[in-house]
Amino acid sequence: MPMTHTIIIIDMGHGANCPGKCSPDGSFHEWKFNREVGKALGDALSERGFTVRYTHEADTEPLYPGKPMLSKAQLNECLRYRYAKVNEYCAQYGSRNCLCISIHANASGSTWSDARGFCAIVGRNASAASKRLAQSIYAEAAKAHLQGNRCVPPERYWTQPLAICEHTRCPAVLTESLFYTNRHDLALLQSQEGKNTIVEVHLRGILNYLNHEK
């Protein structure tokens, strides 16, 4: 068992009271997918001896569990809570012993689109370790034929100004597991086989990364 990183911090993306974040036909809600995949991944990692922590576990966004839909300012406050929680774990266990995975599904607008595929994203100030982790996860997605129909950067990761990646003190990657605004991807996201594949992509990507970091 690799010992460099033993604490896996899972951030399960948006909550049920984050506006939008559903397929055009209303049959898919990202918050539910994030939690199904995040908890299944956490269970799989725990079975392999890793300590797993979550930034939040409720179905709703943290801080506002009783509010139906949140404003942009409230969502930003919840995002700050989530990356602060990652940093609390880093302070507790040591940043070199932690890594963070933020689970999401993608969208291209609010109507059906042609965009398909999986991507792994790092922050603009990403460490070399974050980039290697993203590459490892994306490699597993490609093996599972989830790469989609978009142009893939030569580095095999995307770079975006994402707070959960840029303000955390350990290797951090945000994944977008296919597009729920694409009918083909949506069918995979809604199937148990598709969700199992996505969990396995994350699991193998993390394990391969850790094995190479020894």
Side-chain angles (χ1 to χ4, degrees):
M1 178 64 66
M3 297 302 293
T4 304
H5 301 278
T6 56
I7 314 302
I8 315 297
I9 306 164
I10 297 176
D11 174 63
M12 297 185 290
H14 310 289
N17 49 355
C18 179
K21 308 299 181 185
C22 67
S23 60
D25 62 2
S27 66
F28 175 93
H29 293 271
E30 187 185 346
W31 70 267
K32 185 175 181 181
F33 168 84
N34 295 345
R35 280 147 185 78
E36 289 177 359
V37 168
K39 289 177 180 177
L41 175 61
D43 289 345
L45 288 163
S46 294
E47 289 171 2
R48 286 160 176 80
F50 291 95
T51 298
V52 176
R53 296 290 182 263
Y54 296 91
T55 60
H56 64 302
E57 295 187 66
D59 289 344
T60 54
E61 292 277 352
L63 304 179
Y64 296 97
K67 191 171 178 63
M69 287 296 162
L70 304 186
S71 67
K72 181 66 174 177
Q74 290 167 333
L75 289 170
N76 286 337
E77 189 179 354
C78 293
L79 180 55
R80 287 191 292 271
Y81 171 93
R82 285 158 47 202
Y83 68 68
K85 182 61 69 173
V86 175
N87 290 334
E88 284 181 21
Y89 291 131
C90 289
Q92 179 179 356
Y93 298 107
S95 293
R96 68 181 300 273
N97 300 314
C98 299
L99 64 82
C100 175
I101 302 292
S102 186
I103 305 290
H104 294 256
N106 217 341
S108 179
S110 58
T111 58
W112 298 115
S113 75
D114 293 331
R116 292 171 52 189
F118 185 102
C119 63
I121 305 169
V122 299
R124 295 167 299 182
N125 59 348
S127 65
S130 295
K131 294 173 182 177
R132 289 193 296 270
L133 176 58
Q135 288 169 329
S136 184
I137 295 171
Y138 183 82
E140 293 302 316
K143 288 179 188 176
H145 307 292
L146 301 181
Q147 64 266 40
N149 60 358
R150 296 167 301 143
C151 180
V152 177
E155 301 83 7
R156 298 298 189 265
Y157 57 77
W158 284 254
T159 302
Q160 293 182 11
L162 302 174
I164 199 71
C165 295
E166 296 198 343
H167 298 307
T168 45
R169 298 173 187 148
C170 63
V173 173
L174 183 147
T175 60
E176 295 278 14
S177 298
L178 310 182
F179 282 78
Y180 52 83
T181 49
N182 178 280
R183 294 182 189 274
H184 176 275
D185 278 6
L186 178 61
L188 286 172
L189 291 167
Q190 291 180 312
S191 71
Q192 192 58 54
E193 180 180 1
K195 283 181 278 195
N196 290 346
T197 296
I198 290 166
V199 171
E200 191 70 12
V201 161
H202 286 82
L203 177 63
R204 289 185 180 275
I206 292 168
L207 295 178
N208 289 343
Y209 163 81
L210 291 173
N211 285 330
H212 283 95
E213 292 294 300
K214 287 192 293 186

